[in-house]
Amino acid sequence: MITLVPFERVSQEVLTELKERLQEVFGTEVNFASTISMPVWTYEPLRGQYNAGSLLLTLQEGKADERVLGIVDQDLFASRLNFIFGLADPEGRRALITLTRLRQDFYGLAPDPSLLRLRAAKEAVHELGHTEGLEHCPDPRCVMYFSNTLGDTDHKGYHFCPRCRTKISL
Ligand SMILES: [Zn+2]
Ligand SMILES: [Zn+2]
């Protein structure tokens, strides 16, 4: 079972499509928790970003057969990284993605809502894969391929390659 935890500002269209795609990929039940506010103490005013590691710890851990995924619409950083698209707790059965840098308009391009929803699905499946103990995959079409840029994200699909697929227990 996957529990989606929307933080404030995340649109319903993104959540609805995310639920459908996660159900398709994992073949498991996907539920929503109620929307929560961004915890102010995870905000770093000097950077104008939220601390992804701190934010991840505010999510309740999933139970044995459950994964918890937070969906954020704020810019996130993590320890040595200037920004991140998502973060997973490899032992805690919880993960986080952010939509902010998945938007074309973040880069001064014309908005593309369907591309945003597709990118969000890829990031979500990728981070949930990490909570299953999967590492990065060398196959550039596999969802577990490491996205250094959005070009990498757009090139890969939102499914696991056959080799990664066998390691998923959800
Ligand atoms: Zn990764
Ligand atoms: Zn793979």
Side-chain angles (χ1 to χ4, degrees), residues 135-139 142-145 160-165:
E135 289 175 6
H136 290 143
C137 177
D139 178 350
C142 175
V143 72
M144 291 314 291
Y145 186 76
F160 297 105
C161 72
R163 222 183 52 130
C164 290
R165 173 84 260 174

Side-chain angles (χ1 to χ4, degrees), residues 86-88 123 126-127 130 134-136 143-147 156:
L87 184 68
E123 293 304 325
H126 181 95
E127 296 307 334
H130 281 316
L134 283 178
E135 289 175 6
H136 290 143
V143 72
M144 291 314 291
Y145 186 76
F146 176 68
S147 292
K156 71 185 183 184

Side-chain angles (χ1 to χ4, degrees), residues 31 89 94 107 125 127 133 156 168:
N31 296 306
D89 183 347
R94 56 190 162 180
Y107 308 94
V125 174
E127 296 307 334
K156 71 185 183 184
I168 297 292

